[in-house]
Amino acid sequence: IEDAETNQPKSAMEREVSAAFGRGDPGEIMSSAFKLKVTREDIHTLMDLQWLNDEIINFYMCLLVERNKKEGYPAVHAFSTFFYPKLISGGYNAVRRWTRDVDLFKKDLIFVPIHLRHHWTLVVSQTGFFFRIGWGEKTSKKSHLGFGEIPQQENGSDCGVFLCKYADYISRDKPITFTQDDMPYFRKKMVWEIIHQQLL
């Protein structure tokens, strides 16, 4: 198979991404793990200039958590995109059971992806500090996450990809060096990672 623009052979990865972006049953399950399912319709939100949906963000966050169980990575917990709306609408009692199987204070990093009408944003907490404050517990622990200058989104559609890549780089303790120009590549890479259920 050749790329129509360059007449060069396509890599296996590019062929898989093209197939995932191709026509087919929108409800076809392209990946299933973490008690989550990603359909072809969900994968299509990773096409250029589309807004990522909850399913893509949640699946990617689970991939980060899974990868970071390996030795040498910070311990990570990522809340679902549905956590924040539930917290806002119902308060602490509405979400307190969400962490019954996880000790947040044993995690190095906690991610809370938030959808604000037409924009995705990411709350990053170190060593449970955000939740100690939120739950009203007394603590003298101070937390400072210094990311310096971080890359800025330059369009109205890539906020979800930025969110995922911020979380990816932070959870690997890597400098956040990517730019808006990397978004098309990141989108395709995320398709492959979600289908194969592993991060590159």
Side-chain angles (χ1 to χ4, degrees):
I1 298 176
E2 292 186 343
D3 185 288
E5 292 180 10
T6 64
N7 294 324
Q8 297 296 317
K10 281 188 173 183
S11 72
M13 183 184 288
E14 288 172 319
R15 287 196 300 273
E16 285 185 79
V17 171
S18 293
F21 283 158
R23 291 184 180 171
D25 176 4
E28 178 187 352
I29 295 170
M30 307 294 285
S31 194
S32 178
F34 320 112
K35 300 180 182 175
L36 300 173
K37 290 182 172 58
V38 174
T39 65
R40 182 178 295 274
E41 184 175 26
D42 299 325
I43 288 288
H44 282 194
T45 69
L46 281 161
M47 294 173 82
D48 286 341
L49 303 180
Q50 299 297 309
W51 290 349
L52 270 57
N53 66 9
D54 292 284
E55 285 70 25
I56 293 295
I57 302 267
N58 289 328
F59 203 93
Y60 194 81
M61 291 291 126
C62 288
L63 289 174
L64 290 176
V65 169
E66 196 62 29
R67 177 197 60 203
N68 278 53
K69 290 177 181 175
K70 295 177 187 168
E71 191 175 340
Y73 287 95
V76 171
H77 179 72
F79 280 100
S80 157
T81 56
F82 305 110
F83 172 81
Y84 182 73
K86 193 81 171 170
L87 175 64
I88 292 303
S89 66
Y92 169 69
N93 284 334
V95 294
R96 74 185 161 138
R97 296 183 59 157
W98 288 44
T99 57
R100 68 174 176 236
D101 297 328
V102 61
D103 184 349
L104 293 180
F105 304 114
K106 288 186 176 174
K107 302 298 180 184
D108 299 308
L109 293 166
I110 298 166
F111 295 137
V112 185
I114 299 174
H115 192 243
L116 302 170
R117 294 193 182 182
H118 302 294
H119 188 67
W120 283 108
T121 190
L122 179 68
V123 171
V124 181
S125 172
Q126 193 173 36
T127 325
F129 180 75
F130 173 78
F131 294 97
R132 290 173 199 254
I133 297 301
W135 297 165
E137 295 180 22
K138 292 184 179 178
T139 179
S140 60
K141 188 167 185 116
K142 299 231 177 184
S143 175
H144 300 287
L145 286 172
F147 301 125
E149 290 292 317
I150 60 171
Q152 300 297 307
Q153 177 187 350
E154 296 173 7
N155 64 22
S157 57
D158 282 329
C159 51
V161 183
F162 269 86
L163 179 158
C164 290
K165 297 317 288 183
Y166 287 149
D168 176 27
Y169 277 61
I170 292 164
S171 64
R172 288 185 289 135
D173 201 21
K174 297 288 184 196
I176 302 174
T177 55
F178 59 83
T179 69
Q180 178 70 55
D181 294 339
D182 295 310
M183 294 301 115
Y185 167 70
F186 284 159
R187 284 175 175 270
K188 291 173 184 172
K189 182 179 171 187
M190 287 173 68
V191 170
W192 191 94
E193 291 171 326
I194 288 169
I195 289 171
H196 288 269
Q197 300 169 15
Q198 71 176 78
L199 298 179
L200 293 173

